[in-house]
Amino acid sequence: TPEHVATHPRVFATFTAPSFGPVHNRPSSGRPCRCGVHHDQDDDTLGTPLDPDTYDYEAAVLWNAHAGALWRRFSVYLRREVAKRAGLSQRRLRDHARVSFAKVAEYQKRGAVHFHAVIRLDGPSGGDTSPPPWATAELLTDAIRTATTKVRVDGPTIDGRAHTFTFGRQLDVRTIRSADFNE
């Protein structure tokens, strides 16, 4: 990858699963968990349901199974949103810019998959070409936020209950400003 790619608009984004019920956690506010305990980071109860009888285990397992499809659909919606903000059709977007990304999926303590991704706007030939002037980290962030709220994947119907999967409400998108990822 050429060094000048570090000047292309790019963000680091974290996409979470929705809630399947409250779990033991370590709130960033410094307050105790909803159970009233300040859990140590190595506490085995972290991520386990506060009320195992009401936690939606079925939806949690199915969400993990459909997370890859949800990401694929998100990548399509993201390109649509970038094109829309640039005043282009999706087909014409290819002549001006490319959305590139690298992602990893990992399990949260509660057992739900979440994604971390570096998402970048490049020129039409990828990292070898500069993006157009309208391609900014702000445009990319806005497109990510909108695409995330629109994407849905239909899952199976089990015992009369239809499942539809979306990303969770917690979405973190941060602009990467330096070549060494420290800013």
Side-chain angles (χ1 to χ4, degrees):
T1 304
E3 275 189 45
H4 72 269
V5 168
T7 65
H8 294 193
R10 59 202 168 124
V11 300
F12 181 79
T14 301
F15 303 80
T16 61
S19 175
F20 305 110
V23 297
H24 292 276
N25 64 9
R26 299 181 68 218
S28 58
S29 64
R31 293 188 308 241
C33 175
R34 289 187 208 176
C35 70
V37 173
H38 282 279
H39 296 289
D40 182 57
Q41 69 182 18
D42 298 324
D43 191 328
D44 289 339
T45 61
L46 284 175
T48 62
L50 287 170
D51 183 355
D53 294 332
T54 61
Y55 189 80
D56 194 349
Y57 293 97
E58 180 178 270
V61 169
L62 290 170
W63 194 92
N64 282 345
H66 289 80
L70 193 62
W71 178 266
R72 278 189 301 282
R73 180 103 16 111
F74 163 76
S75 68
V76 170
Y77 279 50
L78 177 58
R79 288 176 179 90
R80 288 179 186 167
E81 292 299 325
V82 168
K84 182 177 172 182
R85 281 156 183 73
L88 300 167
S89 68
Q90 285 179 259
R91 185 174 304 224
R92 293 282 326 261
L93 176 64
R94 293 181 210 149
D95 298 331
H96 299 272
R98 178 185 291 178
V99 178
S100 303
F101 59 88
K103 74 164 172 55
V104 295
E106 66 180 357
Y107 288 100
Q108 295 172 300
K109 291 243 185 212
R110 64 183 171 132
V113 170
H114 69 274
F115 295 104
H116 297 291
V118 173
I119 305 173
R120 188 179 71 219
L121 289 173
D122 294 323
S125 297
D128 293 334
T129 54
S130 295
W134 54 258
T136 65
E138 293 77 20
L139 178 140
L140 181 58
T141 297
D142 186 50
I144 290 168
R145 291 189 186 285
T146 301
T148 302
T149 63
K150 289 183 175 183
V151 67
R152 290 184 171 21
V153 170
D154 291 330
T157 299
I158 299 174
D159 296 329
R161 178 180 171 205
H163 292 274
T164 300
F165 304 103
T166 63
F167 285 114
R169 289 181 293 143
Q170 292 179 322
L171 170 68
D172 186 26
V173 184
R174 298 177 190 209
T175 300
I176 300 171
R177 299 191 192 286
S178 73
D180 63 6
F181 290 89
N182 289 331
E183 293 180 34

